[in-house]
């Protein structure tokens, strides 16, 4: 993706994770390479064992893990998360394999600025098992979606999608590997669009300014 000639002030990100953090790593790598105008101010994990926390710590990024007691009440948890993200002066909240729904405390604090990644072409195959569901259905084309999160699972205005043609004979693991390859490209690309101020939400739909 070509970059505008005028300097861009890096946007500040808060990244929410639950697992291995491969998309977090893709964002970290793109920032380090100078092809993503962003900084990661805080990584929040819903699981203390998430390997993504180690990725963040290796990159010198501050982390937050909430206790099971706090997470037992989703609203209380999201109030804590929203407060910490705001304290870190975050511009956008990036959900990167975050396996919990975000609620009003986060959504209201960051209106149209909570972004989610989904491993299918929404509105098809919503939910936590999208890759397996698409594979079981026998689709010939699937893909990846980046969208603005709202108070429903895998809904909200679509910012970007990238298709993947499913080859005959692929196993579900092979499909998953190809999906992840696309995620690791598309998510940083889309965050760069946010950094350039080219993404606008109007009446439940997204428009993107041309380069």
């Amino acid at each position: 993706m070509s970059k505008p000639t005028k300097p861009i002030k890096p946007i500040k990100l808060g990244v929410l994770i639950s697992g291995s953090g491969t998309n977090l790593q893709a964002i970290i790598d793109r920032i380090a390479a100078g092809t993503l105008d962003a900084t990661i101010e805080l990584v929040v994990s819903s699981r203390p064992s998430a390997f993504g926390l180690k990725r963040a710590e290796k990159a010198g990024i501050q982390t937050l893990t909430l206790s099971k007691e706090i997470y037992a009440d989703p609203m209380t948890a999201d109030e804590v998360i929203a407060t910490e993200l705001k304290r870190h002066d975050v511009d956008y909240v990036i959900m990167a394999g975050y396996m919990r729904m975000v609620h009003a405390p986060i959504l209201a604090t960051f209106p149209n600025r909570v972004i989610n990644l989904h491993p299918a072409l929404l509105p098809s195959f919503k939910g936590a098992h999208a890759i397996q569901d698409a594979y079981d259905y026998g689709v010939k084309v699937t893909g990846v979606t980046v969208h603005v999160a709202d108070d429903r699972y895998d809904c909200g205005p679509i910012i970007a999608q990238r298709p993947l043609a499913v080859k005959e004979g692929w196993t579900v693991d092979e499909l998953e590997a190809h999906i992840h390859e696309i995620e690791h490209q598309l998510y940083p690309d889309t965050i760069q669009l946010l950094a350039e101020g080219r993404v606008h939400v109007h009446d439940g739909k997204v428009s993107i300014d041309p380069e």
Side-chain angles (χ1 to χ4, degrees), residues 86-109:
K86 190 173 181 180
R87 189 170 69 84
H88 283 80
D89 199 24
V90 163
D91 297 308
Y92 282 91
V93 181
I94 304 298
M95 300 171 69
Y98 189 63
M99 302 307 292
R100 293 177 67 101
M101 179 182 283
V102 292
H103 298 87
I106 296 175
L107 295 171
T109 304

Side-chain angles (χ1 to χ4, degrees), residues 63-79:
T63 63
L64 170 67
T65 303
L66 298 191
S67 69
K68 291 182 179 179
E69 290 75 21
I70 293 177
Y71 254 118
D73 182 352
M75 292 304 234
T76 300
D78 279 12
E79 286 173 3

Side-chain angles (χ1 to χ4, degrees), residues 7-8 28 33 38 51 55 85 89 104 112 149-150 185 201 204:
I8 297 171
I28 291 172
F51 186 74
R55 297 180 188 273
L85 291 171
D89 199 24
N112 291 327
D150 60 16
Q185 296 172 8
V201 182

Side-chain angles (χ1 to χ4, degrees), residues 63-200:
T63 63
L64 170 67
T65 303
L66 298 191
S67 69
K68 291 182 179 179
E69 290 75 21
I70 293 177
Y71 254 118
D73 182 352
M75 292 304 234
T76 300
D78 279 12
E79 286 173 3
V80 172
I81 293 170
T83 298
E84 287 301 307
L85 291 171
K86 190 173 181 180
R87 189 170 69 84
H88 283 80
D89 199 24
V90 163
D91 297 308
Y92 282 91
V93 181
I94 304 298
M95 300 171 69
Y98 189 63
M99 302 307 292
R100 293 177 67 101
M101 179 182 283
V102 292
H103 298 87
I106 296 175
L107 295 171
T109 304
F110 302 94
N112 291 327
R113 290 184 289 136
V114 181
I115 312 300
N116 187 44
L117 178 73
H118 186 72
L121 295 177
L122 293 174
S124 298
F125 304 111
K126 297 177 182 179
H129 308 291
I131 297 174
Q132 184 70 56
D133 291 345
Y135 181 83
D136 291 344
Y137 203 84
V139 298
K140 304 305 180 187
V141 177
T142 184
V144 175
T145 301
V146 180
H147 67 99
V148 179
D150 60 16
D151 58 356
R152 301 164 295 168
Y153 275 117
D154 301 326
C155 294
I158 292 172
I159 303 172
Q161 291 184 309
R162 191 165 294 173
L164 171 66
V166 182
K167 293 187 178 180
E168 294 294 331
W170 274 359
T171 65
V172 68
D173 289 340
E174 289 173 315
L175 175 59
E176 182 172 2
H178 286 286
I179 287 287
H180 289 330
E181 286 179 7
I182 294 175
E183 289 177 343
H184 299 161
Q185 296 172 8
L186 183 62
Y187 217 7
D189 285 352
T190 305
I191 295 169
Q192 180 61 26
L193 293 177
L194 299 173
E196 294 170 10
R198 293 167 55 193
V199 178
H200 310 281

